[in-house]
């Protein structure tokens, strides 16, 4: 799993590349938390376009990030989710808590 980030105007965008499974989730969360501590963003956009696979560990990661940012008055969303990760997101029902945008939608 590779993590790439950009920060601009209070928005941190993180791109996740590879597979987000139970092996990668803990390390990925640690990296993202360091970025959150560094930038203290009000908005966190997770770009899933390079993410090829996700299991329920990805849902746990999203829930943790959502709790952290919403507790500070911020928001989290997923952008450009590919078919497999999107199916996991839809099956989990997490779309009721955070916005899930497909590959075809424009950025917020």
């Amino acid at each position: 799993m590779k993590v790439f980030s950009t920060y601009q105007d209070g928005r941190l965008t993180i791109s996740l590349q590879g597979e987000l499974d139970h092996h990668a989730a803990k390390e990925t969360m640690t990296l993202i938390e360091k970025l959150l501590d560094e930038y203290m963003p009000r908005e966190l956009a997770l770009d899933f376009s390079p993410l090829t696979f996700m299991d329920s560990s990805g849902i746990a990661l999203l829930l943790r990030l959502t709790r952290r940012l919403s507790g500070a008055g911020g928001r989290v969303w997923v952008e450009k989710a590919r078919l497999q990760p999107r199916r996991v997101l839809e099956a989990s029902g997490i779309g009721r808590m955070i916005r899930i945008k497909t590959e075809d939608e424009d950025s917020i």
Side-chain angles (χ1 to χ4, degrees), residues 58-59 62-63 66 89-100:
I59 300 301
L62 289 172
L63 289 171
T66 299
L89 295 167
E90 289 169 356
S92 74
I94 197 167
R96 291 175 286 197
M97 295 179 64
I98 65 172
R99 184 161 183 203
I100 309 298

Side-chain angles (χ1 to χ4, degrees), residues 94-107:
I94 197 167
R96 291 175 286 197
M97 295 179 64
I98 65 172
R99 184 161 183 203
I100 309 298
K101 299 174 77 177
T102 64
E103 290 177 290
D104 301 331
E105 291 182 80
D106 293 329
S107 296

Side-chain angles (χ1 to χ4, degrees), residues 6-108:
T6 58
Y7 179 78
Q8 184 176 358
D9 300 327
R11 178 185 295 172
L12 179 62
T13 301
I14 296 177
S15 296
L16 301 178
Q17 181 180 16
E19 297 186 357
L20 182 55
D21 57 15
H22 69 279
H23 295 293
K26 186 174 181 176
E27 181 180 334
T28 301
M29 187 65 205
T30 300
L31 289 170
I32 293 173
E33 285 183 331
K34 286 179 184 179
L35 291 167
L36 293 175
D37 290 341
E38 180 179 346
Y39 293 107
M40 299 178 65
R42 297 192 55 71
E43 298 180 333
L44 174 61
L46 295 165
D47 178 4
F48 275 18
S49 62
L51 188 67
T52 57
F53 174 84
M54 183 178 83
D55 64 12
S56 61
S57 301
I59 300 301
L61 182 136
L62 289 172
L63 289 171
R64 189 168 171 180
L65 292 172
T66 299
R67 275 194 298 267
R68 178 166 173 174
L69 263 76
S70 65
R75 64 185 181 134
V76 177
W77 67 89
V78 173
E79 296 181 344
K80 305 173 189 166
R82 289 182 175 189
L83 183 60
Q84 191 281 332
R86 189 170 64 232
R87 285 182 176 163
V88 173
L89 295 167
E90 289 169 356
S92 74
I94 197 167
R96 291 175 286 197
M97 295 179 64
I98 65 172
R99 184 161 183 203
I100 309 298
K101 299 174 77 177
T102 64
E103 290 177 290
D104 301 331
E105 291 182 80
D106 293 329
S107 296
I108 292 178

